[in-house]
Structures are given as structure tokens and as C-alpha cells.
């Protein structure tokens, strides 16, 4: 499956953005998927996951503010981001992977990310 992330931009603190991850070549329901982000000078970090069965999970830093979802008809995964903070500034990537127990392991393919910048 090929993935294309979009929807990033510049927003003030407290604002909202919705990121999209359009899939082609297969349907999103076949996969465990995730959003990652990477801020300048920092390691890439896992933000949220959605399993093929629909179960979701979030990093503690975004829980209650971000919502991961997918639209099977659009074959797209989303990340609704509310109450954004300057610390959320990063390039956001979408990805497929596998779960081993509770741990998510990303596949080797990383599509192009989308930049999110939150101003204070």
C-alpha cells in the first residue's frame, strides 16, 4: 500500500487541524496503521495507532486532544488534532505496521510527511 499524508499547516495554539492519509493499492481496513511525528532535532515518535479491527491508542501527550479514525469509503485515515500546542510542531507521517502484543512495529515504508506548525 502507498500512503500520502496531507493537511498540515500553520495554526495558532489552541487551534485545530485534521490530517489525512490517503491509501492506494489496498484498503485501509486491511492494515494496522499509525501516525508518527518528528520534531527538529528529535527522534520520530508514535502519536496514535488504529488496528485493523478499529481499536485505537494514543501517546500520553496527545490523549484527549487527538483522535485517529478512518473512512473506509474514502480509503483514508485521519488525525483530528484539537487544542494544539507549540510542542505539537513536527512533521507528521502515516504508516502501516504490525502489533506484537501491545507494541506497534512500523513497516519500512515511510511516505512523505506533512508539516504542522503551532505558533504561541
Amino acid at each position: 500500500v502507498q500512503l500520502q499524508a496531507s493537511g498540515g499547516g500553520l495554526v495558532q495554539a489552541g487551534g485545530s487541524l485534521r490530517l489525512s492519509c490517503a491509501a492506494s493499492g489496498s484498503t485501509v481496513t486491511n492494515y494496522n496503521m499509525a501516525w508518527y511525528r518528528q520534531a527538529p532535532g528529535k527522534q520520530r515518535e508514535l502519536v496514535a495507532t488504529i488496528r485493523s479491527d478499529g481499536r485505537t491508542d494514543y501517546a500520553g501527550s496527545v490523549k484527549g486532544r487527538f483522535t485517529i479514525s478512518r473512512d473506509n469509503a474514502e480509503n483514508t485515515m485521519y488525525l483530528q488534532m484539537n487544542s494544539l500546542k507549540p510542542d505539537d510542531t513536527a512533521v507528521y507521517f502515516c504508516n502501516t505496521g504490525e502489533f506484537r502484543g501491545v507494541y506497534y512495529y512500523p513497516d519500512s515504508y515511510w511516505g512523505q510527511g506533512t508539516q504542522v506548525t503551532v505558533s504561541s
Side-chain angles (χ1 to χ4, degrees):
V1 62
Q2 291 192 323
L3 304 172
Q4 179 65 53
S6 63
L10 174 64
V11 64
Q12 287 190 330
S16 298
L17 281 174
R18 188 178 78 158
L19 305 184
S20 299
C21 175
S24 59
S26 188
T27 56
V28 293
T29 53
N30 291 338
Y31 295 93
N32 301 307
M33 300 183 71
W35 285 99
Y36 279 78
R37 67 186 181 186
Q38 187 166 20
K42 295 187 178 180
Q43 288 190 330
R44 193 169 294 184
E45 66 168 333
L46 181 61
V47 174
T49 60
I50 183 165
R51 295 180 184 242
S52 56
D53 64 8
R55 285 181 289 165
T56 60
D57 200 9
Y58 300 90
S61 59
V62 307
K63 193 171 290 186
R65 299 188 298 123
F66 290 10
T67 302
I68 189 171
S69 64
R70 62 185 181 215
D71 184 323
N72 299 337
E74 297 292 328
N75 209 30
T76 299
M77 179 179 67
Y78 298 101
L79 185 69
Q80 177 66 44
M81 306 186 296
N82 298 329
S83 302
L84 282 161
K85 305 175 182 179
D87 283 350
D88 296 317
T89 296
V91 178
Y92 284 70
F93 300 86
C94 56
N95 177 270
T96 58
E98 66 174 287
F99 279 94
R100 302 173 197 167
V102 299
Y103 296 103
Y104 179 83
Y105 291 85
D107 291 335
S108 59
Y109 170 75
W110 291 94
Q112 195 169 6
T114 185
Q115 175 71 48
V116 172
T117 303
V118 184
S119 63
S120 56

